[in-house]
C-alpha cells in the first residue's frame, strides 16, 4: 500500500507529496506476489549494467525506494526513505528487481542508516540520507556514481538535460513498482519556475525538472534515486536525489523536485566518508 504524505506550503496553494514507502510486492522472499508491470513515467528500459550505481532499497520488508552507490560501502538515498524505519535491503547490479538470478546482482541487509539531522518532513528540507551496507559492493556491473565537485557548488544546471532512473510506478493508476529498471531524460527548471507551482518550499537545497506535461518523470517508488548529468569528460555526476512531486499526481504535469546534492557535500564528506573533488 502506498503512503502519500501531503504537505501544506507556507505560500503556495499547491501541494507536494513525498514518494516513498510504495510496497514493492516482488519476489525476494517466499509469499510475496510479483509486481504488475510498470515503469518510470516515459523514457526507456535500462540494460543490465547501464546504471552500475543504481540501488533498489526495500524498507522494513515493505516500502520501496531508489538509491545510488556513492562508495563501495555506502548508498545515498532520501531521508524520507530512512525516517522511522529500522532495516533496509539494498540491491545493486540489478535490472529486473524480481530476478534474483541476475549474474551481477548483490544484496545487502543493513540496520545502519543515517538521515540528515535537520530533515523536516513538513517542508521536505534536507531530504538526504545514507545507508551503510556493512560490506563491500564490487564486481562487474557495480560501481559508485561520481559526486559533484566543490567547484560546482552554486551551479544551477538550469536548462541542462539530465537523466533519472528507477523502478517507480509508470502511472498514477498503477499500484506497484516496476520489475524492470527504467530511465528518462528531463530538463532542469529554474528554481523560480518551480516555486511558481510549489511556493517557498522551493529553496537553494532543491532542484526541479520539467515533466513534459506529466509524460516524463518520476513517480512513487523512485524516491531516493539518482538524478545525473553527463559532464564534458563523458562521466556522469549525481546532482539530485528524487524527493517529491505534486499530490495532484505523477502525471499532473507539475515539476518533480529533488534534493540538490551540491548543497550537501560537507555533510556527505563528514558522514559517508567520501572525498569530495576540489
Amino acid at each position: 500500500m502506498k503512503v502519500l504524505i501531503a504537505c501544506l506550503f507556507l505560500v503556495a496553494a499547491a501541494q507536494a507529496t513525498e514518494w516513498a514507502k510504495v510496497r514493492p510486492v516482488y519476489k525476494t522472499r517466499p509469499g510475496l506476489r510479483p509486481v504488475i508491470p510498470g515503469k518510470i513515467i516515459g523514457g526507456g528500459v535500462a540494460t543490465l549494467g547501464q546504471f552500475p550505481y543504481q540501488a533498489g532499497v526495500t524498507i522494513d520488508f515493505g516500502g520501496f525506494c531508489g538509491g545510488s552507490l556513492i562508495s563501495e560501502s555506502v548508498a545515498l538515498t532520501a531521508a524520507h526513505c530512512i525516517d522511522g524505519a529500522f532495516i533496509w535491503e539494498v540491491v545493486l547490479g540489478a535490472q529486473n528487481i524480481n530476478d534474483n538470478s541476475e549474474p551481477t546482482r548483490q544484496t545487502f541487509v543493513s540496520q545502519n542508516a543515517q538521515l540528515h539531522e535537520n530533515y523536516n518532513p513538513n517542508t521536505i528540507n534536507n531530504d538526504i540520507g545514507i545507508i551503510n551496507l556493512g560490506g563491500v559492493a564490487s564486481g562487474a556491473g557495480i560501481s559508485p556514481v561520481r559526486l559533484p565537485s566543490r567547484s560546482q557548488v552554486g551551479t544551477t544546471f538550469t536548462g541542462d538535460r539530465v537523466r533519472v532512473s528507477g523502478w517507480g510506478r509508470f502511472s498514477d493508476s498503477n499500484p506497484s513498482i516496476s520489475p524492470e529498471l527504467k530511465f528518462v531524460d528531463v530538463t532542469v527548471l529554474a528554481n523560480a519556475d518551480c516555486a511558481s507551482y510549489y511556493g517557498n518550499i522551493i529553496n537553494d537545497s532543491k532542484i526541479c525538472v520539467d515533466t513534459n506535461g506529466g509524460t516524463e518523470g518520476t513517480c512513487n517508488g523512485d524516491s531516493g534515486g539518482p538524478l545525473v548529468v553527463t559532464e564534458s569528460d563523458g562521466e556522469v555526476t549525481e546532482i539530485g536525489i528524487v524527493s517529491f512531486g505534486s499530490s495532484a499526481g505523477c502525471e499532473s504535469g507539475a515539476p518533480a523536485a529533488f534534493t540538490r546534492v551540491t548543497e550537501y557535500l560537507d555533510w556527505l564528506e563528514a558522514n559517508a566518508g567520501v572525498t569530495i573533488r576540489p
Side-chain angles (χ1 to χ4, degrees):
M1 177 69 68
K2 67 180 181 180
V3 175
L4 298 179
I5 305 174
C7 301
L8 296 177
F9 304 142
L10 299 178
V11 174
Q15 289 182 316
T17 183
E18 292 172 299
W19 289 338
K21 300 183 180 176
V22 177
R23 290 196 63 84
V25 289
Y26 64 86
K27 290 183 176 177
T28 54
R29 297 179 184 83
L32 295 179
R33 61 183 177 83
V35 300
I36 297 171
K39 54 191 176 184
I40 206 166
I41 295 176
V45 177
T47 58
L48 186 64
Q50 183 176 354
F51 297 95
Y53 49 83
Q54 180 77 44
V57 181
T58 304
I59 309 160
D60 287 345
F61 308 112
F64 190 86
C65 275
S68 60
L69 189 68
I70 58 171
S71 78
E72 62 182 12
S73 60
V74 178
L76 178 65
T77 191
H80 70 265
C81 299
I82 295 174
D83 191 26
F86 299 97
I87 190 166
W88 299 267
E89 181 187 78
V90 181
V91 175
L92 297 161
Q95 193 280 337
N96 188 317
I97 204 70
N98 294 340
D99 187 359
N100 291 324
S101 69
E102 289 178 322
T104 57
R105 187 183 185 107
Q106 294 181 23
T107 301
F108 299 84
V109 177
S110 173
Q111 291 180 281
N112 184 4
Q114 180 179 354
L115 53 75
H116 195 283
E117 59 275 11
N118 294 320
Y119 168 60
N120 186 328
N122 296 314
T123 59
I124 323 182
N125 282 335
N126 305 306
D127 191 13
I128 185 172
I130 55 172
I131 302 170
N132 295 291
L133 301 180
V136 174
S138 62
I142 297 175
S143 62
V145 67
R146 186 166 71 179
L147 294 172
S149 66
R150 294 193 182 278
S151 65
Q152 290 174 301
V153 174
T155 302
T156 66
F157 302 101
T158 300
D160 286 0
R161 290 291 285 176
V162 292
R163 178 167 287 181
V164 61
S165 50
W167 287 278
R169 299 191 306 163
F170 82 96
S171 72
D172 291 320
S173 61
N174 195 61
S176 56
I177 64 167
S178 167
E180 293 186 299
L181 181 62
K182 294 277 293 182
F183 68 95
V184 67
D185 294 334
V186 287
T187 302
V188 176
L189 290 173
N191 269 22
D193 293 332
C194 192
S196 70
Y197 185 88
Y198 290 117
N200 64 358
I201 199 171
I202 301 300
N203 53 34
D204 290 343
S205 68
K206 298 181 175 75
I207 184 171
C208 299
V209 302
D210 182 21
T211 60
N212 193 21
T215 62
E216 297 175 321
T218 47
C219 199
N220 305 73
D222 287 321
S223 281
L227 179 75
V228 302
V229 64
T230 300
E231 299 201 63
S232 58
D233 61 1
E235 295 293 321
V236 299
T237 297
E238 183 169 353
I239 61 171
I241 303 165
V242 180
S243 182
F244 66 90
S246 172
S247 62
C250 306
E251 298 174 283
S252 67
F258 301 72
T259 302
R260 189 182 291 270
V261 178
T262 52
E263 292 292 305
Y264 297 94
L265 300 182
D266 288 342
W267 188 87
L268 287 168
E269 194 165 62
N271 293 281
V274 294
T275 299
I276 303 299
R277 295 174 294 142

